[in-house]
Amino acid sequence: MDSAANGRARARESASRDDDSTEAEITKVSAPPAPKPPAAAPARTAETLSITDNRTGKSYEIPIQDGTIRAMDLRQIKIKPEDFGIMSYDPAFTNTAACRSAITEIDGDKGILNYRGYPIEQLAEESSYLETAYLILHGELPARQQYEEWVHNITHHTILHENIKKFIDGFRYDAHPMGMLISTVAAMSTFYKDAKDIFNPKVRREHSYRLLAKVPTLAAFAYRHSTGLPFAYPDNDLSYTGNFLNMLFKMTEVRYKPNPILERALDVLFILHADHEQNCSASAMRGVGSSQVDPYSAVAAAVAALYGPLHGGANEMVLRMLTEIGSVTRVPDFVKRVKSGETRLMGFGHRVYKNYDPRAKIIKRMADQVFEVTGRNPLLDIALELERIALQDEYFVSRRLYPNVDFYSGLIYQSMRFPVDMFPVLFAIPRTVGWLAQWEEMLLDPEQKIARPRQIYTGRERREYVPMERRG
Ligand SMILES: CC(C)(COP(=O)(O)OP(=O)(O)OC[C@H]1O[C@@H](n2cnc3c(N)ncnc32)[C@H](O)[C@@H]1OP(=O)(O)O)[C@@H](O)C(=O)NCCC(=O)NCCS
């Protein structure tokens, strides 16, 4: 086993420690058993970590706050005063908190997701996307007047500058809508030069409205471009999701009337995708934003991060996977290929959730309501069979791989007539508010600076330049 696989195996071991069924798997890869604690260990009250450096015999007391030590506290551990000091090595940030955040709370072991303290299940049941977006950005649910102003402000920024249509026209007919979205969001920074004034709260709010309002318009225009249809302009009398459906699907009718069940289903899907703490795209938003660039450029970076198949591109990959499997009878063969490492079961597994993703549960329930309107998606049976087999198979159980948000969402999107290429776009639209909230929190946090990780240099030592004629 290579060292990376070894490390993953160890990480899995610690993640699965409570799971009896993983015992055989663990012994294959485990380190020596931990020593048993003394029978009556004295009660310890100090919130510190004692570290002894065996190279020098020196001991250090490092404060623990919120179950965390500060990586900078390790720098005092040195052999000689001129040494750099100890760093922590954490590729992919699997055990590093990069910020303090009050926006979204996830308990991956229990399968809990709360925005600003409110459980996702209650928001999906009771709230609307725009109300949830207000909550995420402001920290509290709005009073009626605040809500009305918020909806008004977002609704009245939906129109794009006509020149943006020219960029969209310049894309090839088969351009992926995520590529178009990344580019056009970035291009918007050239229209709003004052957006650079990021420490002015009024300017920040103004451009937050613009981004929340215009990202659906950009997304819909990208879709219309790829289908060769004329752009459909926003209808400000419709809801946020109703208007989005209008800009996508309006044909020759004078006014587009969204189906209320599908409109609500999309609104709930938007609520479920609104934020998810320090994932890859939120980290991109914070990292790029920490250079103090304008929010359009930072959101473009976040959309780019979301495009990858391991992040927002996963629901697209799920649909392609289900289509490739083709029938329920071929599911066992496919599971075999996953277990041999030939392919991954897309829509399964999560860096944080080691339990059923709470969003996947809500989506699975909602699928029935959608299918009553659209007709049952034939790929659903394949998905249900995959889930049934995976949830009782040792490979998935021992690695704590459960369905994530992307496993069922693609089936709903497909039934609602969204082409597969649009799936990650449907993730980017609602996630815009999460990115904006993460960005603002980062900007206002006095502890944050430009993001700049360290490295362990593994290259050649200094050597002298060799002229080309003397190279071998
Ligand atoms: C989400 C994801 C990237 C998290 O990855 P991670 O936290 O880095 O976990 P790892 O890739 O280290 O996986 C741990 C182990 O589970 C296995 N694993 C993880 N996800 C798997 C999947 N979907 N199918 C099969 N095996 C999987 C890995 O092969 C690894 O096994 P190993 O220890 O024998 O090498 C990963 O689960 C994945 O690729 N899932 C599919 C894509 C997806 O649905 N993404 C959307 C996330 S919302």
Side-chain angles (χ1 to χ4, degrees):
M1 193 184 287
D2 65 22
S3 59
N6 221 334
R8 285 198 297 277
R10 272 200 302 279
R12 193 180 68 245
E13 180 196 348
S14 65
S16 337
R17 214 166 277 145
D18 306 331
D19 189 341
D20 291 345
S21 60
T22 61
E23 208 58 55
E25 177 76 15
I26 289 169
T27 28
K28 267 195 272 162
V29 293
S30 64
K36 285 198 176 139
R44 303 191 64 165
T45 49
E47 285 291 304
T48 62
L49 180 72
S50 304
I51 299 180
T52 303
D53 184 348
N54 293 322
R55 300 169 305 172
T56 59
K58 270 182 144 177
S59 288
Y60 302 83
E61 287 288 300
I62 307 243
I64 300 175
Q65 196 188 356
D66 300 319
T68 308
I69 60 160
R70 283 184 178 256
M72 279 305 281
D73 283 343
L74 300 175
R75 287 278 284 280
Q76 59 185 301
I77 307 178
K78 304 176 175 190
I79 299 179
K80 295 187 288 258
E82 64 273 24
D83 285 353
F84 187 77
I86 293 236
M87 293 190 298
S88 62
Y89 177 55
D90 188 10
F93 307 119
T94 51
N95 196 36
T96 293
C99 61
R100 304 176 75 84
S101 182
I103 303 168
T104 291
E105 184 190 12
I106 303 176
D107 184 326
D109 282 329
K110 297 197 183 117
I112 289 173
L113 169 61
N114 300 333
Y115 297 152
R116 302 282 188 184
Y118 293 101
I120 193 70
E121 293 80 4
Q122 289 181 25
L123 293 168
E125 191 66 38
E126 311 273 349
S127 184
S128 66
Y129 172 68
L130 280 188
E131 186 187 52
T132 300
Y134 183 101
L135 168 72
I136 288 176
L137 203 57
H138 296 80
E140 295 297 335
L141 286 167
R144 181 162 303 282
Q145 200 194 332
Q146 289 169 319
Y147 179 67
E148 281 163 8
E149 277 170 23
W150 168 249
V151 173
H152 175 90
N153 284 331
I154 291 175
T155 308
H156 287 83
H157 280 105
T158 46
I159 299 235
L160 298 177
H161 191 290
E162 286 289 293
N163 282 1
I164 291 180
K165 286 178 11 194
K166 293 189 190 151
F167 304 141
I168 298 178
D169 274 335
F171 285 103
R172 269 180 60 125
Y173 69 96
D174 60 351
H176 196 290
M178 277 300 260
M180 292 194 251
L181 189 62
I182 295 166
S183 320
T184 46
V185 170
M188 280 212 294
S189 73
T190 65
F191 289 84
Y192 304 110
K193 297 207 175 71
D194 66 319
K196 286 187 170 61
D197 190 6
I198 54 171
F199 290 107
N200 179 333
K202 215 168 141 262
V203 170
R204 273 204 310 274
R205 200 44 34 113
E206 177 95 344
H207 292 286
S208 297
Y209 293 141
R210 288 214 165 91
L211 272 156
L212 292 171
K214 291 184 201 301
V215 164
T217 316
L218 291 173
F221 281 19
Y223 168 74
R224 301 286 284 208
H225 173 73
S226 59
T227 50
L229 288 166
F231 299 129
Y233 280 74
D235 179 343
N236 290 350
D237 289 338
L238 293 174
S239 72
Y240 190 75
T241 38
N243 173 49
F244 180 53
L245 292 169
N246 155 66
M247 292 189 291
L248 289 167
F249 299 130
K250 182 170 186 293
M251 298 303 281
T252 52
E253 65 271 45
V254 179
R255 289 209 94 160
Y256 176 85
K257 279 203 197 85
N259 177 299
I261 293 178
L262 302 186
E263 182 184 1
R264 175 65 190 157
L266 192 59
D267 210 57
V268 173
L269 283 160
F270 278 11
I271 292 172
L272 301 181
H273 286 85
D275 191 52
H276 213 230
E277 54 117 310
Q278 307 312 315
N279 52 77
C280 179
S281 58
S283 304
M285 182 79 194
R286 280 178 176 261
V288 173
S290 75
S291 74
Q292 301 190 354
V293 74
D294 68 88
Y296 297 97
S297 304
V299 169
V303 182
L306 190 75
Y307 189 10
L310 297 187
H311 191 11
N315 53 13
E316 177 175 350
M317 300 305 284
V318 171
L319 240 276
R320 295 197 194 286
M321 172 189 79
L322 295 175
T323 311
E324 185 199 313
I325 297 173
S327 87
V328 171
T329 52
R330 294 176 57 190
V331 168
D333 265 358
F334 181 79
V335 172
K336 254 192 224 151
R337 285 177 51 213
V338 171
K339 287 164 63 176
S340 70
E342 200 185 312
T343 185
R344 281 206 163 189
L345 176 47
M346 299 311 287
F348 257 67
H350 199 275
R351 173 63 59 78
V352 180
Y353 293 117
K354 301 300 168 196
N355 200 328
Y356 214 107
D357 182 335
R359 301 167 300 173
K361 270 191 202 153
I362 298 170
I363 294 177
K364 194 175 169 188
R365 276 201 306 270
M366 210 171 62
D368 293 332
Q369 294 164 27
V370 171
F371 295 157
E372 263 178 40
V373 179
T374 62
R376 189 177 162 88
N377 189 325
L379 297 177
L380 178 66
D381 292 327
I382 302 175
L384 289 170
E385 181 64 359
L386 270 173
E387 180 184 332
R388 189 188 68 75
I389 295 186
L391 290 185
Q392 56 193 22
D393 188 295
E394 200 275 338
Y395 175 96
F396 299 92
V397 173
S398 67
R399 288 167 176 78
R400 302 178 77 179
L401 301 170
Y402 292 87
N404 61 45
V405 67
D406 296 309
F407 194 64
Y408 287 105
S409 60
L411 291 173
I412 297 187
Y413 291 145
Q414 193 189 44
S415 301
M416 289 172 76
R417 289 179 36 220
F418 290 111
V420 175
D421 278 0
M422 279 296 283
F423 292 3
V425 173
L426 295 166
F427 194 154
I429 294 170
R431 183 55 61 85
T432 302
V433 77
W435 293 328
L436 289 169
Q438 299 284 345
W439 170 71
E440 187 158 71
E441 189 174 62
M442 179 272 304
L443 286 180
L444 301 182
D445 180 345
E447 281 203 297
Q448 293 292 339
K449 298 176 176 200
I450 186 165
R452 201 331 184 158
R454 295 277 176 181
Q455 65 167 8
I456 302 171
Y457 178 65
T458 60
R460 304 284 292 261
E461 292 204 348
R462 184 204 144 106
R463 47 187 172 156
E464 302 307 320
Y465 179 80
V466 181
M468 200 175 278
E469 54 281 9
R470 294 215 327 258
R471 290 177 214 157

